[in-house]
Structures are given as structure tokens and as C-alpha cells.
Amino acid sequence: MAATFRLTLAQLNPTVGAIEANAALAYDAWQQGRDAGAQMVALTEMFITGYQTQDLVMKPAFHTAAIAAVQALALRITDGPALGIGAPCVKDGLLYNAYYILQDGKIAATILKHDLPNDQVFDEKRVFASAAPQGPYRVGPLRIGTPICEDAWHSEVCETLAETGAQILLVPNGSPYHRGKPAVRTNLMVARVVETGMPLVYLNMIGGQDDQAFDGASFVLNPGGALVAQLPQFLPCITHIDFEETEDGWRALPGMMASLPNSYEADYHAMVMSLRDYLGKTGFKKVLLGLSGGIDSAIVATIAADAIGPENVRCVMLPSRYTSQHSLDDAEAVARALGCRLDTVSIVAPQDAALAALGPLFEGTKPDVTEENIQSRLRGLLLMAISNKSGEMLLTTGNKSEMAVGYCTIYGDMNGGYNPIKDLYKTRVFDTCRWRNQNHRAWMQAPAGEMIPPRVIEKPPSAELRPDQKDEDSLPPYPVLDAILDGLVENELSVAELTAKGFDRATVKKVEHLLYISEYKRFQSAPGTRLTRKAFWMDRRYPIANRWRDQS
């Protein structure tokens, strides 16, 4: 009779710093695996601490507590399957990213990470030491090789494991989402399978951590690259994978096959999940935001309602003398469709008072952006006052196009604790609104149907800070602006390269100038969901004081 092996995969959501709670999640997963007759239960990279910990893991008291929690957990892992769990390890005075195998009441094996990512949002060479590649460990009838996350993105560790007798590869990950990431992972893991001839289990965590959205989407490949199991994206999941020994070696039997969403749904789910987890993991239960009648605040209100329920979202309309009736009507329509509370606080009197107070100092000058920014800052002041009084976190609503060129007011509409659309260009905001109006999923807590009226999507964008103002008075049309920003930011193209693509050189130079002089605003901006490989924060680190300009 052929030998078999059942592996339980736990695609779960740990919380950074919640060591005891993460250990409890791990033990619960182990019990589910034990009840299902598994021989091993696998959790993800750095599960006991949550991920990413950044410099926190270097604090001796923190990594000592995490290691102690693994040791305590090991004492409970008896009369059942082995448990694989990620955690820090200190060896010979060096700190490592490790994966522990707990079995029979003790730590049976410790695997140390070799390849440390040091690009995009990762700084692991700053906090961990690199270990030499190691061989496999045995659980029951199976020799398992465990490349930890980045170890499987390169060939060295997997080839070492193949040469030293591993029979399957189990890859625990803390791999954050960006648009198109599942295909990147699959292609790389297929390469490892082809090189080694072994089945491969790619196990990823889920959950939001600051700007990063970990999307799960774990999967299992057989030799040749055949996909035999696919776990859902962004959702917690515990499932069991059976392996069988054949004449050609071990093979995974078909398991669950979840469908992965398209990029619009994936982006939207990332924004909903990251906002929900940012609130939950920082202790907030409710939010508020300024609802202007425009498209950005409408989609943020919808994301918030889908994340924590409409009853926990307060919308505030703050009209000035320049606010149109259709903006008032549109804000009311959005709040009504979502089922959110809508309050109205006029800024006309505060604006008059501010201008009166500043009148002697401004005498002899003409109205300009100063007076416009006073309106935005009054709104920020009032919204923060409501936040302080109510304990509701203020959300800010600037899209990536605005954040890129500084079309936002620092200490005004940039006020807030989180910005779910920070990495979403304006043209993508329009498309996302249309997608949400047409689609509803079980993980959304707001109602199904048209949440954002067509007029909100179709009307020309305006900050309404002066009579008849339009965004295009100050900026190129958003399709042009976003295409130029895609070149400058996402692809690091030169001015000459963009001009060669047909863009007006003067327009490209204007956008480049705005991009560079707005770095100080982005430096002080709220965190927001990372959706691309060039999100404004860890992915793209530019100096604030910078005199260089592209002369090509």
C-alpha cells in the first residue's frame, strides 16, 4: 500500500506584536489539523510575531518573548501532528528569520533563512543575518525541505534541498500583494518545481499591516508545474493537502481550487482588508470622513462601509459658499445608499472669521491659493475635532494622482489616520467605482447595488475652492496625467522617453516638477494600502530636498 501524508495548510492573519494571540491562533490550527488526521500543520513566515516587524524584531525583549512563546507552544504539541511556525531565532549572537518544526513536545528542527530580500518594501538585511542553505527535516515518512519565502525566489536553496534528499518543498511566506503578484509567484515557483522535480507548497499569510496587504492565494504544484490546489485570495483558510508516494516520487492529490479575482476586485479587496485590519489592529472601531460629493470621498466611504459596516462610518459634509447644490445632493445620495450617518457642518462662518482675523496682514494682496487652502484646513480642523471628541479615526481621501503632484493641502484634506486609495490613480478610481456599483461579494458589509451615483463618476472633478473651479484648471486631464505618472513613477522613464512616446515635453516637465516638489507632503501623509510596486512610502524613497531635474 502506498505511503501517504496529510499536510494542513493554515492561511491565517497574525497581528504584529500580539505574540500570545498569534500563538493561540497557531494552536487552534494545530487542533484542526489533528482532528483531520494530519501529520503536519504548517503556518507562515514569522507567524508568532506577525509580519513585517521592521526594527521591532531587533529589540531583545521582543525577540526573546517571541522565542519563549515558540518554546512554550512546543510543549503543547504532543499526541498529534508536527507544527511548522515562523519566528525569530538567535544563534551565536546573531538574529535570524527562522522556521521551527515542533513535534513530540519539543523543537525538532530549526530552519534559518538564507536569501534576505532587500528591495521594494523589504529591509531584511538590516534586521536579520543570512544563514547557509540547510538540508531537509523528516516528519513521518517524508523528508521536507523548507525554503523560507525569498529562498524560493532563487534557485540555490531549493537545489541544495534537492541534492540533500528533500522529497517535497514547503515554502512559508510573508508575501505582500501588489497588482499582478499571484502570477509572479506562480511563475517563480513553477521554475523551482521544474528545477528540482519535487512538489511544492506555497503557503502565504493574509492580513493588513500598515501599508501592506498580505493576500494569501496559497497554492500547491506537482512536478511539471501542474496546479493541484489553490487557496482563496485575501480570505483566511485552513485546508488539508494529501500526498501519496508513487513510483515517480511523492505527488500531491487534488485539493481545493478557489478562483482568483481580476485586478479590480483584488485591488478593492486589498483596500477593504487593509483598512479593516489597520483599524482593528490599532484599536479603532469607527471612522469618519469628509464626504464632498466628489468621487474620491465616495469610494473611500464605500470601502469603509464594506470594511467595518455602514453603521460604523460617519460622513461629514462641510460646505462653503463655493459648494454646489449637486455636490450636496450627491453626498447625501452616497450616504443614503450606503446607510451611513451624514452630518453637515458649514465652514462659511469659520472661513469669514479666519479671513477677518488675517485681513490686516493680507491687506494689499490679491486672493490666491492661500484663501483656498484656508477652506481645506478649516475642514481638516473640524474633522479632527469630531475625531477627537468621538474617538472615530479620520480617513483621508487623496488618490495617487493627487498625492504625486501635490494637489492636496497639507494639514487640510490630507488630515487623517489612513488612506485606502493612496496608491490608486484617479483614472483607476473611476474604474473602481464602476466595478463596485456592478459587483458585490460576501466579504462586503455595505449593501449591494449602485452605491456611487453615475453623476459622481461622470462630472468633472473639482475641489470647489473658488467659483467654477475644475481640476483641469491646474492639472493636465487625468488620462494624460496618469499616463505620464505611470512613466515617471511606475517605470522610472526619462523625460526624453516620455516625449518620444508622444507626450508634450512641457507637460511632462511640469508633472516632473510637481512630483519632486511634493515629496515633503508625501513624507507627512497618512499610510495607505499598497497596490503597486511603486507605492509612495517604502517602495519609492526619494529625498525631500532635491535640486536635480531631468534635462533629457
Side-chain angles (χ1 to χ4, degrees):
M1 186 174 179
T4 60
F5 187 90
R6 173 164 283 188
L7 175 64
T8 296
L9 304 182
Q11 177 178 289
L12 300 176
N13 184 354
T15 298
V16 166
I19 294 173
E20 292 183 4
N22 295 337
L25 272 178
Y27 189 71
D28 179 71
W30 178 80
Q31 289 179 309
Q32 292 188 49
R34 180 191 60 189
D35 293 345
Q39 284 137 296
M40 181 174 176
V41 176
L43 293 154
T44 48
E45 179 181 20
M46 293 295 287
F47 188 88
I48 202 73
T49 59
Y51 193 71
Q52 291 193 59
T53 55
Q54 298 180 303
D55 286 5
L56 176 61
V57 76
M58 294 192 291
K59 192 174 186 67
F62 180 74
H63 63 242
T64 298
I67 294 167
V70 172
Q71 293 167 339
L73 186 60
L75 297 175
R76 304 176 68 192
I77 305 303
T78 58
D79 300 322
L83 177 67
I85 186 168
C89 175
V90 176
K91 184 178 180 181
D92 299 328
L94 297 176
L95 182 65
Y96 293 93
N97 181 331
Y99 198 71
Y100 292 86
I101 308 303
L102 314 182
Q103 193 170 21
D104 298 327
K106 64 181 185 295
I107 297 173
T110 305
I111 300 90
L112 307 178
K113 192 171 182 177
H114 171 67
D115 284 304
L116 302 177
N118 205 52
D119 59 355
Q120 295 181 16
V121 297
F122 294 103
D123 287 314
E124 287 209 352
K125 290 183 179 179
R126 173 186 173 88
V127 296
F128 293 120
S130 170
Q134 297 167 257
Y137 52 90
R138 178 176 286 277
V139 177
L142 199 54
R143 293 190 303 276
I144 303 173
T146 292
I148 301 172
C149 199
E150 189 80 5
D151 287 340
W153 288 57
H154 311 280
S155 59
E156 181 184 5
V157 171
C158 294
E159 288 178 353
T160 298
L161 288 165
E163 292 166 358
T164 52
Q167 294 168 304
I168 72 166
L169 296 174
L170 167 63
V171 187
N173 293 269
S175 177
Y177 171 79
H178 64 67
R179 198 173 299 141
K181 188 72 169 284
V184 173
R185 298 180 187 126
T186 301
N187 290 338
L188 284 164
M189 295 309 109
V190 166
R192 301 292 88 81
V193 166
V194 170
E195 291 164 358
T196 63
M198 286 186 281
L200 182 148
V201 177
Y202 185 97
L203 178 61
N204 192 25
M205 63 179 278
I206 66 157
Q209 174 57 35
D210 296 344
D211 64 319
Q212 294 166 42
F214 294 88
D215 61 321
S218 307
F219 57 89
V220 180
L221 300 172
N222 264 336
L227 181 68
V228 292
Q230 175 67 65
L231 277 62
Q233 194 173 22
F234 298 108
L235 296 172
C237 180
I238 292 180
T239 191
H240 315 289
I241 302 296
D242 290 320
F243 290 86
E244 185 177 77
E245 190 173 25
T246 72
E247 293 181 355
D248 299 318
W250 287 85
R251 297 294 183 267
L253 302 180
M256 76 176 301
M257 292 296 291
S259 298
L260 296 184
N262 65 29
S263 66
Y264 287 100
E265 180 173 345
D267 278 4
Y268 192 81
H269 204 164
M271 292 185 286
V272 168
M273 180 192 70
S274 62
L275 175 58
R276 182 191 64 228
D277 277 2
Y278 189 78
L279 294 168
K281 293 177 181 181
T282 56
F284 285 87
K285 294 180 171 59
K286 297 189 175 188
V287 299
L288 78 148
L289 68 146
L291 190 64
S292 67
I295 194 168
D296 296 323
S297 60
I299 193 63
V300 170
T302 307
I303 290 166
D306 278 332
I308 60 173
E311 69 279 7
N312 295 311
V313 179
R314 184 207 301 247
C315 301
V316 184
M317 180 52 155
L318 299 119
S320 75
R321 56 176 48 89
Y322 304 120
T323 301
S324 63
Q325 185 60 47
H326 67 71
S327 290
L328 293 167
D329 295 341
D330 291 342
E332 183 180 359
V334 170
R336 184 171 59 250
L338 290 170
C340 298
R341 173 177 174 174
L342 177 63
D343 295 322
T344 300
V345 180
S346 173
I347 68 164
V348 172
Q351 181 184 1
D352 289 342
L355 293 176
L358 293 167
L361 300 178
F362 288 1
E363 187 174 357
T365 65
K366 295 181 179 179
D368 57 14
V369 70
T370 306
E371 285 77 9
E372 295 179 17
N373 285 344
I374 286 172
Q375 297 170 66
S376 181
R377 292 190 173 113
L378 284 170
R379 290 183 171 117
L381 170 71
L382 295 170
L383 288 168
M384 279 307 305
I386 298 169
S387 175
N388 291 160
K389 185 63 72 174
S390 67
E392 299 162 351
M393 180 184 284
L394 175 60
L395 302 180
T396 183
T397 63
N399 61 69
K400 189 172 187 176
S401 309
E402 295 172 348
M403 297 299 298
V405 297
Y407 196 65
C408 46
T409 304
I410 196 165
Y411 322 124
D413 59 340
M414 288 178 64
N415 283 5
Y418 201 76
N419 180 0
I421 65 168
K422 185 179 181 179
D423 201 25
L424 202 64
Y425 283 117
K426 185 77 168 192
T427 47
R428 190 89 178 182
V429 171
F430 290 117
D431 294 338
T432 301
C433 289
R434 295 185 183 99
W435 180 87
R436 175 57 178 85
N437 277 350
Q438 296 166 4
N439 295 274
H440 193 266
R441 300 290 184 263
W443 44 265
M444 299 175 181
Q445 296 190 45
E450 186 177 275
M451 298 295 101
I452 303 164
R455 184 169 69 176
V456 173
I457 302 171
E458 294 162 3
K459 65 184 178 182
S462 171
E464 293 192 325
L465 297 176
R466 61 177 183 268
D468 301 318
Q469 182 183 23
K470 300 290 184 293
D471 288 6
E472 289 187 15
D473 298 341
S474 305
L475 301 172
Y478 280 112
V480 175
L481 175 62
D482 287 357
I484 293 172
L485 289 171
D486 181 73
L488 292 173
V489 176
E490 312 300 323
N491 295 293
E492 300 288 2
L493 297 184
S494 68
V495 170
E497 288 172 313
L498 283 166
T499 303
K501 288 178 176 290
F503 294 102
D504 174 68
R505 189 177 190 279
T507 303
V508 174
K509 288 294 293 180
K510 176 183 178 180
V511 173
E512 179 208 33
H513 176 69
L514 292 172
L515 178 66
Y516 286 140
I517 66 169
S518 301
E519 199 64 47
Y520 79 101
K521 290 187 178 182
R522 291 189 289 273
F523 192 81
Q524 298 181 62
S525 64
T529 312
R530 175 184 187 254
L531 301 173
T532 69
R533 287 177 287 185
K534 284 296 179 73
F536 291 133
W537 195 13
M538 300 290 287
D539 283 297
R540 185 182 181 279
R541 309 179 200 186
Y542 272 62
I544 297 171
N546 167 25
R547 294 290 294 273
W548 182 83
R549 297 295 183 269
D550 185 355
Q551 300 302 319
S552 65

